[in-house]
Amino acid sequence: ARGALTRLTSGEQVRSPTWSPDGTRLAYGVVTEGTGEGRMRIDWQPADGSRGPETLAKESAGAYPSSFTPDGRTLIFDQYEDATFSRSTILALPVGGGGRARALTEGPYAPSAGAVSPDGRWLAYVSDESGQYNVYVRPYPEGPGRWQISTLLGVEPHWSHDGREL
């Protein structure tokens, strides 16, 4: 409304910015200085720039935030095993402090881009288990079943506000 801009980062390579559900914070991947594309961490900070960044996930081969749970208490992010990006895991990290990240996906494929449904019951994600990238849905945070949603190709799933469509 005022036409003013606020710079949140400076001198860093930032990837995959992700808004908290209430719009007050922004989580993002930061390429660790001096490592090129090989190592990243995840930071977050108030969107108004009132405080500096806080590290949520320590440096790894690649860490990319993809969404928050609807209540804003958990960050969903991809963690890659190495710089080739051929194997990854989708993790859930409590952001209130004191919690450890836990794996939501397992297996030999490259699951990524996790997005929790607005009602908090489902996780949409991308996997190459069919030989190409497609979108799948499974119960969140856990439970039996997994359903392929896309048929020819699917990347970066996003839920509609009412959670009835991807």
Side-chain angles (χ1 to χ4, degrees):
R2 298 179 321 201
L5 300 175
T6 301
R7 178 179 289 277
L8 294 180
T9 66
S10 180
E12 300 174 307
Q13 291 185 39
V14 174
R15 306 283 165 81
S16 301
T18 303
W19 288 99
S20 64
D22 64 5
T24 62
R25 289 184 162 269
L26 196 62
Y28 48 89
V30 179
V31 177
T32 306
E33 197 172 316
T35 63
E37 296 291 324
R39 309 283 298 168
M40 292 182 69
R41 69 177 189 272
I42 295 177
D43 287 354
W44 79 332
Q45 70 182 94
D48 65 4
S50 60
R51 286 194 314 268
E54 174 185 345
T55 298
L56 291 177
K58 295 180 181 177
E59 182 182 303
S60 67
Y64 293 85
S66 57
S67 70
F68 283 88
T69 54
D71 63 9
R73 294 184 199 172
T74 303
L75 175 68
I76 308 300
F77 71 99
D78 307 336
Q79 185 164 334
Y80 291 87
E81 291 184 16
D82 58 42
T84 67
F85 299 104
S86 60
R87 285 189 51 105
S88 62
T89 302
I90 298 173
L91 299 165
L93 176 68
V95 294
R100 296 183 57 95
R102 64 181 171 77
L104 297 175
T105 59
E106 295 180 33
Y109 305 105
S112 62
V116 177
S117 63
D119 65 5
R121 295 180 52 215
W122 304 101
L123 176 71
Y125 64 97
V126 175
S127 175
D128 65 354
E129 63 192 80
S130 68
Q132 65 181 9
Y133 291 107
N134 278 297
V135 174
Y136 294 82
V137 172
R138 51 153 283 209
Y140 176 84
E142 57 193 6
R146 175 187 52 75
W147 298 269
Q148 183 175 331
I149 303 301
S150 61
T151 56
L152 297 175
L153 182 65
V155 295
E156 296 185 21
H158 295 275
W159 291 95
S160 64
H161 288 287
D162 65 8
R164 299 179 70 145
E165 296 177 302
L166 277 170

